[in-house]
Amino acid sequence: MADLNVSVVSAAQEVWSGRAKQIVARTVEGEIGILPGHEPMLAILGVGEVRVTTEDGATVRANAEDGFLSVEHDTVTIVARNAELIS
Amino acid sequence: MGAQLRVYRQKIRSAQTTKKITRAMELIAASRIQKAQQRVAASGPYSRAVTRAVSAVATYSNVDHILTTEPEKVERAAIVIFSSDRGLAGAFNANVLREAEELASLLKSQGKDVVYYLIGRKAVGYFAFRKRATEEAWIGGTDTPKVELAREIGDALVSRFIQPTSEGGVDEIHIVYNRFVSMLTQTPEVVRLLPLEVVEGVEEPGEREILPLYEFEPEVDAVLDALLPVYIESRIFNALLQSDASKQAATQKAMKSASDNADKLIRDYTRLANNARQSEITQQISEIVGGADALASAK
């Protein structure tokens, strides 16, 4: 199965980018999980963290408030005014 | 030492101290351009992503949204002027203000009222001196601008835009800023911010594939409501960053030519001082010789 191409960007800079197997994010309507092959989507993010499971199985967690999420052709962009990684 | 010589030496010293200052400012500006440019580059992914999303919504849906619909009659237009807080930047502020004046007279000739929003002390000073009314002004934030400032400006503009015209709202918003083209060129640019014309091509990545049909969550309207202010904000943030980078470049150029001028002045005055010293010596010699001659012939 193909991978997802993920980038997390904040207003000032690109916070993280890389390839991932799965993404779990919280939109205003509830949690959503995204796997490769997901249909194109634009969603407004709610309060909560975004979890990215990378290719090698590690988990990257990021705080992304006040933003949105777009999915198309296995490219996922998480855009938030203030986004930062939680280490 | 002769009076003339002393005057020249004073002028040389004064030019030398001025040169030290302008040289330092030139170096500071040069190092800041780098940072400002990096910030412009770093904010690229965000504004690309936002623009892409907005154009996706706009092309997919034919929803009528207040921020995208053209008003039938434009009665009042707002101009946002991006100047700097400090001067010593050559024609930087003059250019942007002149461009704004041209735009204002164009809008007025179309029968529109013009209101002004100012960013940077220089524009505020320009308006205060001419005793002209401004709606709102932001000062002190133009050096390494923050996202928060862009957000504040964006919020103010959007809320004014949403107000009905009869209650003082505006129907159009234009921004005027200096765009950073290269270290040598910065051009003043006028962009109509609202009603929205999604800038495609500029922020779009190279390949122009057809945008897919999107699924929206929650609904198209809600997504658009949330996205458009973000888009406006990112345009304003971009303008702030561009303007900052241009300002640093303009300062560097202005200070470079000031240092060069100081060099030239120092050289010219040194020549004059040498001349004065030499003629003083010549005069003293001829006085001594003349005196000796007079003494010898008096015997």
Side-chain angles (χ1 to χ4, degrees), chain B residues 68-227:
Chain B
T68 51
T69 31
E70 296 270 345
E72 278 170 21
K73 190 173 177 307
V74 177
E75 284 179 18
R76 200 172 293 116
I79 300 180
V80 189
I81 305 172
F82 291 79
S83 72
S84 68
D85 279 323
R86 270 176 285 175
L88 297 178
F92 174 82
N93 287 306
N95 275 345
V96 77
L97 287 167
R98 194 185 55 233
E99 199 72 20
E101 292 290 7
E102 275 170 20
L103 175 66
S105 54
L106 175 73
L107 292 174
K108 277 176 190 153
S109 73
Q110 294 167 352
K112 299 169 187 170
D113 266 357
V114 177
V115 294
Y116 297 94
Y117 287 84
L118 309 178
I119 293 146
R121 253 182 216 109
K122 284 289 151 186
V124 174
Y126 179 88
F127 275 70
F129 181 72
R130 286 163 183 74
K131 297 197 170 55
R132 281 162 46 181
T134 56
E135 293 303 308
E136 216 166 320
W138 292 270
I139 54 174
T142 57
D143 281 351
T144 58
K146 301 260 181 331
V147 189
E148 289 75 36
L149 177 67
R151 183 180 194 177
E152 212 180 298
I153 299 168
D155 285 351
L157 293 178
V158 170
S159 69
R160 184 74 189 267
F161 186 76
I162 290 170
Q163 257 176 31
T165 317
S166 52
E167 289 167 26
V170 295
D171 306 310
E172 262 184 7
I173 296 174
H174 301 261
I175 58 174
V176 186
Y177 67 102
N178 275 293
R179 194 161 65 83
F180 184 88
V181 182
S182 70
M183 296 287 265
L184 291 173
T185 350
Q186 299 87 39
T187 46
E189 195 126 309
V190 179
V191 176
R192 193 182 77 169
L193 198 61
L194 287 170
L196 211 61
E197 305 163 79
V198 176
V199 198
E200 271 174 288
V202 184
E203 300 287 346
E204 203 82 357
E207 81 280 18
R208 298 189 55 84
E209 82 273 36
I210 298 158
L211 290 165
L213 282 180
Y214 279 87
E215 174 86 347
F216 294 99
E217 198 175 317
E219 285 108 33
V220 178
D221 283 352
V223 171
L224 211 52
D225 274 344
L227 265 188

Side-chain angles (χ1 to χ4, degrees), chain A residues 5-20:
Chain A
N5 214 339
V6 187
S7 58
V8 181
V9 292
S10 77
Q13 64 194 322
E14 186 160 52
V15 178
W16 188 83
S17 72
R19 305 190 69 80

Side-chain angles (χ1 to χ4, degrees), chain A residues 9-14 27-29 32 39-44 66 68 71-73 77 79-82, chain B residues 42-43 45-46 49-50 52-53 56-57 147 151 209 212-218 223 226-227 230 233 237:
Chain A
V9 292
S10 77
Q13 64 194 322
E14 186 160 52
T27 73
V28 282
E29 297 205 319
I32 183 171
E39 65 175 339
M41 186 184 82
L42 252 180
I44 306 296
D66 246 354
F68 62 92
V71 186
E72 59 172 273
H73 305 314
T77 320
V79 183
R81 196 178 278 133
N82 304 305
Chain B
S43 78
Y46 181 76
V50 172
R52 210 178 155 72
V57 189
V147 189
R151 183 180 194 177
E209 82 273 36
L213 282 180
Y214 279 87
E215 174 86 347
F216 294 99
E217 198 175 317
V223 171
L227 265 188
V230 174
E233 186 190 307
F237 188 51

Side-chain angles (χ1 to χ4, degrees), chain A residues 4-85:
Chain A
L4 289 163
N5 214 339
V6 187
S7 58
V8 181
V9 292
S10 77
Q13 64 194 322
E14 186 160 52
V15 178
W16 188 83
S17 72
R19 305 190 69 80
K21 284 192 217 155
Q22 187 197 358
I23 294 167
V24 179
R26 183 178 287 278
T27 73
V28 282
E29 297 205 319
E31 225 166 51
I32 183 171
I34 294 158
L35 291 170
H38 198 281
E39 65 175 339
M41 186 184 82
L42 252 180
I44 306 296
L45 289 178
V47 181
E49 61 176 36
V50 176
R51 290 196 302 280
V52 180
T53 311
T54 56
E55 252 178 329
D56 47 19
T59 310
V60 176
R61 299 191 301 162
N63 245 335
E65 275 175 51
D66 246 354
F68 62 92
L69 168 102
S70 89
V71 186
E72 59 172 273
H73 305 314
D74 286 347
T75 304
V76 182
T77 320
I78 294 152
V79 183
R81 196 178 278 133
N82 304 305
E84 54 188 25
L85 295 184

